[in-house]
Amino acid sequence: MFRPLELFIGLRYTRAKRRNQFISFISAVSIVCISMSVIAIITVMSVMNGFGYQMKTRILGAISHATISGIGQGMEDWPLALKAAQANPHVKGAAPYVEIQALLQGRATAGAMVRGIDPALEPRVVDIGQHMVHGKLDELTPGSWNIVLGQDLATQLGVGVGDQVVMAVSEMRATPFGGVPRMRGFHVVGTFTMGMEQFDSGLALVNIQDAEKLNSLDGPSGIRLKLDDLFNARPVAHELADQLGPVYQVRTWDQDNANLFSALSMEKLVMFIILSLIVLVAVINLISMLMMLVTDKQADIAILRTLGATPRSIMAMFMVQGVLVGLVGIGIGVGLGALLSWKLPGIVKWIEHVFHVQFLSPDVYYISEVPSRLDWSDVGWVALVTFAFSLLATLYPAWRASRTQPAQALRYE
């Protein structure tokens, strides 16, 4: 009459009755534990995805997707390399640059990476111009000896817009007293903040021609590229390397930051494995509930066996209830976890505002706010792993139920 019979009886056992209210309570606790574990995993994974995305976005806001450079200090025939790069259909922007390590001196002294740029071409590659606090990149005109500093770097030097800093580079100048570093005064015309300590406290921008003169270069150090898709960086780099020949080298953003992004990926994997152990704790409640249910239903199992139910059918009946508890817990956990991940940045800001605390200090961390980025593939993996654990948890109690002997079970009934 009822098909399938195992599903019907399994669903019937999930209904609370007077004599198995405690079992129903344990079942509810199992659902809550599974839901909480799923919420925790989804939220943590979303936060880690948010950190990874923010770091990629902010790093790629100050660096390029790919870089063409010469084998030595400069580039041979760099206009040819620039033309070849611009001809590639995946390259959306290209800009030459000069990059030198320098010592800056204002009211205090600090080391920095000084990048010589072409203000007209630089916005095609990076978006530093969108993060200017004071001034504009257009003020970096040739021969003006102007400089733009990261906001934290300007604070370290004790200077602001309108002040002067002295730059010393490793290029030596011959004097009657021996070789001394080349030095030049620059006028501070702007500051920027990228939200990452790496750039805000360690990067300065000057005009590319001024940088070439100061470092005695005949041309740029390399060419920076922006691609239509940052994940096309490696194929495009291989294509350009084959086209340009061995006198040039092409590096990608993930090669320059390989250790950082590898560490993020490894940390995400390890956190997923560790947090998955929380599901095992929830599954223990599920096993306990099913074992008590099997004990409580000994007489029912015996009657079903005498009516012709096979051990496989009995096993399936109890697996249905365990799987149902797991599915309900997963459904609630996925829904609340996705909602919490979506609203988490706002919740954290509210907590910081109400309790006057700051969870992430920009002096310590790359970013100053808690990010969250929900990835549905991660949600799918969490749901799949939790369902697998729930399914495995039902096997032993269901197997014990299928081994019930009718004569022994009905002896004292």
Side-chain angles (χ1 to χ4, degrees), residues 347-360 368-370:
I347 294 174
V348 172
K349 287 183 180 179
W350 179 81
I351 294 175
E352 291 179 338
H353 176 73
V354 171
F355 295 99
H356 304 288
V357 296
Q358 187 175 24
F359 291 105
L360 298 177
S368 57
E369 58 183 22
V370 178

Side-chain angles (χ1 to χ4, degrees), residues 295-328:
T295 303
D296 184 67
K297 298 295 184 181
Q298 288 289 312
D300 294 1
I301 296 171
I303 292 172
L304 289 171
R305 288 294 307 276
T306 58
L307 292 175
T310 63
R312 181 176 296 180
S313 296
I314 298 297
M315 189 173 180
M317 293 173 191
F318 288 92
M319 289 184 65
V320 165
Q321 185 171 4
V323 170
L324 179 62
V325 170
L327 289 176
V328 173

